[in-house]
Amino acid sequence: MCGRYASSRQPDDLIEEFEVVESRIAAPLEADYNVAPTKEVYAVVERPPTPDESPQRQLRVFRWGLVPSWAKDPKIASRLINARSETVADKPSFRSAFAKRRAIVPVDGYYEWYQPQVDDVSSAGPKPAKQPFFLSRDGGLNLAGIYEWWRDPSEDWRLTFSILTTSALGAEGIIHDRAPLHVPDDRLDEWLAPQQ
């Protein structure tokens, strides 16, 4: 599953790449090559149309770790950084966001940790150390996300998100059995459509 990733693309590049109409970025975030849960990062969303307008694609800053609108404590976010694509439509923490609030999380790549298998489990030696791998593609990855608005007790609104995961295939599956769900460029509009 995705627990760390790298994010270095700048707002101007993301605005052009994703054809963003409105940027809600007060100040650019610094490049981060070890984004951890609860950090602030960029995501692209498409806000639903009003009666007089068409849908509006926006670039915003989100906090990684979904806080459902009904949550009483934002600490739940650390347990909701990923959502299994197979069950996201059914889980109470995710189903509303999945139905109405989808995002693209642009990343340079993500990290997975491989635990080498020990042939002889009865050996008295130390357990082999986990080895990190950085998985990426040229131009980066567009990860499928879902997001929520959460109002904290001070009456401020917080934008939070989760990354969807799926079964890892091929060589990726050797490292870990789960992987973040990548949205191909030709499916971005379909994923972001608020009514899908």
Side-chain angles (χ1 to χ4, degrees), residues 18-33:
F18 293 100
E19 300 175 354
V20 168
V21 174
E22 181 180 1
S23 173
R24 296 281 181 106
I25 309 301
L29 300 172
E30 290 186 28
D32 191 340
Y33 298 96

Side-chain angles (χ1 to χ4, degrees), residues 40-86:
E40 289 189 332
V41 295
Y42 298 122
V44 176
V45 298
E46 194 157 288
R47 298 294 297 145
T50 63
D52 303 333
E53 299 175 342
S54 58
Q56 187 177 65
R57 190 159 296 174
Q58 299 177 347
L59 179 66
R60 289 181 170 257
V61 173
F62 289 75
R63 190 176 303 264
W64 187 13
L66 190 115
V67 180
S69 60
W70 45 261
K72 298 197 181 336
D73 189 338
K75 291 179 184 171
I76 194 173
S78 64
R79 297 190 315 268
L80 300 177
I81 63 168
N82 293 323
R84 293 177 73 91
S85 59
E86 300 88 347

Side-chain angles (χ1 to χ4, degrees), residues 107-119:
V107 306
D108 301 339
Y110 65 98
Y111 300 93
E112 285 296 356
W113 284 260
Y114 173 68
Q115 177 71 59
Q117 300 299 313
V118 179
D119 293 335

Side-chain angles (χ1 to χ4, degrees), residues 149-159:
W149 293 86
W150 183 77
R151 180 175 253 166
D152 69 24
S154 68
E155 300 297 319
D156 287 335
W157 286 97
R158 184 183 296 188
L159 278 168

Side-chain angles (χ1 to χ4, degrees), residues 132-158:
F133 284 86
F134 184 68
L135 305 165
S136 66
R137 295 184 186 156
D138 286 341
L141 298 165
N142 304 322
L143 304 185
I146 55 174
Y147 72 97
E148 275 289 3
W149 293 86
W150 183 77
R151 180 175 253 166
D152 69 24
S154 68
E155 300 297 319
D156 287 335
W157 286 97
R158 184 183 296 188

Side-chain angles (χ1 to χ4, degrees), residues 123-135:
S123 70
K127 188 175 183 180
K130 287 185 178 182
Q131 180 179 351
F133 284 86
F134 184 68
L135 305 165

